[in-house]
Each structure stands twice: as C-alpha cells, then as structure tokens.
Amino acid sequence: MNEAPIGIFDSGVGGLTVMKAVMHRLPGESICYFGDNARGPYGSRDIGEIRGFALEIAAFLEDLGVKLIVIACNSATSAGLLEVQRRCRVPVLGVVEPGARGAVQATHNRRIGVIGTRATISSRAYLRAIHALDAGATVHSRACPSLVDFVEGGEVEGPRVEEEVRRYLAPLLRRGVDTLVLGCTHYPLISKVIGDVAGEGVSLISSDWEV
C-alpha cells in the first residue's frame, strides 16, 4: 500500500468540502490540503493567471511527495486541469467531469443548470463535459460571484444569502431545470439555502461526493 498522502488544493475553504468527502470514503488515507487564501478567491481572475496558480501549487504538492492531486476548485480545474496533468508525474483529478457525470445521471428532463464563478462559467467547461456525456442535454449556466464571498466570510445562511441565491437561480428555474450543478466547491456550504430556493423538484449535484 502506498502510504504517501493525497494532495488536495483550492483557492480557499471551499475545497474542504471535497476533503471531507474523501476522508469519509477513504478514512485510512492521509491528506495534505493547500488553501490559497493569499490569492483566492480565483473566480474573478484571468484564466491564464488561475492556470499559473494551479501549476505552482501542484508542483509544490508533488515536491511534498503526494501520490495523487485533486484540484478541488472548479475555477482552477476549468483553467488548468489538462496542463497540470501534462506537467505532473502523479495522477491529477479535477471536479468538473465528476460533477457533469452526476448531473447527466440525475436529470430526467435533460435540462441542467450550472452555477459557478465567472471563471468557471466563462470557460464553458461544464457545457463541454455535459455534452460529452449527453449531446442532447440543455445546459443553462449562471455565474454567481458573490456567493463565494459570503462563504469565505462565514455567512452561510440568513436573508442576505437567500436573497442572492433567489436572484441567481430565478432564470434557471424559469427554464425548467430539474438538476442543478453546484459548480464551485464553496457552494455545498450553502446547499441548504440553495436547496430551499430551488425546491424539491430540483436535484442538487455536488462535486465533492462525485469526486
């Protein structure tokens, strides 16, 4: 058995949701977590800059001797997964493809909503990943930049959060989505609010468990 740790990184605290899921499913593994609080959140940054951050952190984790790297950040996955995989000597997983797979498996009407940071949504990574699995699915995406700020500030419930979630989800719900991808690893921390606003008829897909 390879006793080297699993490396997980994110722009801040959001990736801890992925780490928690990994610890639950693989309790015998040790984990090295890197939260880039000095430069996060990544969502409003340039794609090339985010890719550079991902390459730096992955190299740092490799130097620590990890056996596997999980990019537990949708923005960094969208911007740099392929380049990080090319550069690294160890396997590297992202969070977009697992989330897309979960959405395709969950939807009944093939209308899928995706919420995420500006960087993730503008990359169209989820659109490509979902259509690679089901070319006939309709994907409605919405950038929700303020939600990460709420989570990073420790505000995960209350009227201000609910108001923002309602504003962001309204156009997706009008289009009849029955599945909603939480395309940012911060969003599971406010999943109760998102679920309450979306309603019982909408399945929430969180990439942490999918990974």
Side-chain angles (χ1 to χ4, degrees):
M1 177 180 174
N2 186 344
E3 295 184 355
I6 295 171
I8 300 176
F9 76 87
D10 179 49
S11 62
V13 303
L16 294 173
T17 60
V18 175
M19 187 182 79
K20 181 180 178 180
V22 172
M23 291 173 66
H24 179 81
R25 292 289 297 271
L26 303 171
E29 297 287 349
S30 58
I31 295 171
C32 179
Y33 181 84
F34 186 104
D36 192 6
N37 291 312
R39 299 179 296 193
Y42 291 169
S44 60
R45 290 183 178 271
D46 176 76
I47 291 290
E49 186 177 34
I50 299 170
R51 185 182 302 116
F53 294 163
L55 289 167
E56 287 176 4
I57 298 168
F60 174 76
L61 290 173
E62 266 203 313
D63 287 344
L64 292 180
V66 301
K67 63 185 173 188
L68 168 74
I69 294 173
V70 180
I71 305 179
C73 172
N74 284 269
S75 298
T77 297
S78 302
L81 175 63
L82 294 180
E83 187 63 25
V84 174
Q85 287 176 330
R86 278 194 288 266
R87 299 274 191 95
C88 286
R89 302 180 301 276
V90 299
V92 181
L93 302 178
V95 288
V96 171
E97 192 278 334
R101 183 176 63 245
V104 169
Q105 291 173 343
T107 185
H108 295 290
N109 66 10
R110 302 168 84 193
R111 297 177 187 175
I112 298 169
V114 180
I115 56 174
T117 66
R118 287 193 181 99
T120 297
I121 299 303
S122 66
S123 75
R124 299 168 67 87
Y126 270 103
L127 179 66
R128 292 192 297 272
I130 290 170
H131 281 166
L133 297 167
D134 181 0
T138 302
V139 182
H140 301 285
S141 304
R142 186 85 193 271
C144 309
S146 64
L147 298 186
V148 170
D149 295 332
F150 280 125
V151 173
E152 287 286 339
E155 190 174 352
V156 296
E157 59 185 355
R160 292 206 314 153
V161 178
E162 183 176 338
E163 181 181 358
E164 282 292 86
V165 170
R166 287 189 183 281
R167 180 171 70 86
Y168 287 135
L169 294 193
L172 304 181
L173 297 176
R174 284 197 297 269
R175 289 174 172 82
V177 302
D178 74 342
T179 303
L180 181 66
V181 179
L182 306 184
C184 174
T185 51
H186 285 71
Y187 295 173
L189 295 168
I190 54 170
S191 60
K192 185 180 186 308
V193 176
I194 294 172
D196 289 344
V197 171
E200 294 183 358
V202 178
S203 299
L204 301 187
I205 303 300
S206 177
S207 57
D208 50 5
W209 288 103
E210 294 298 328
V211 169

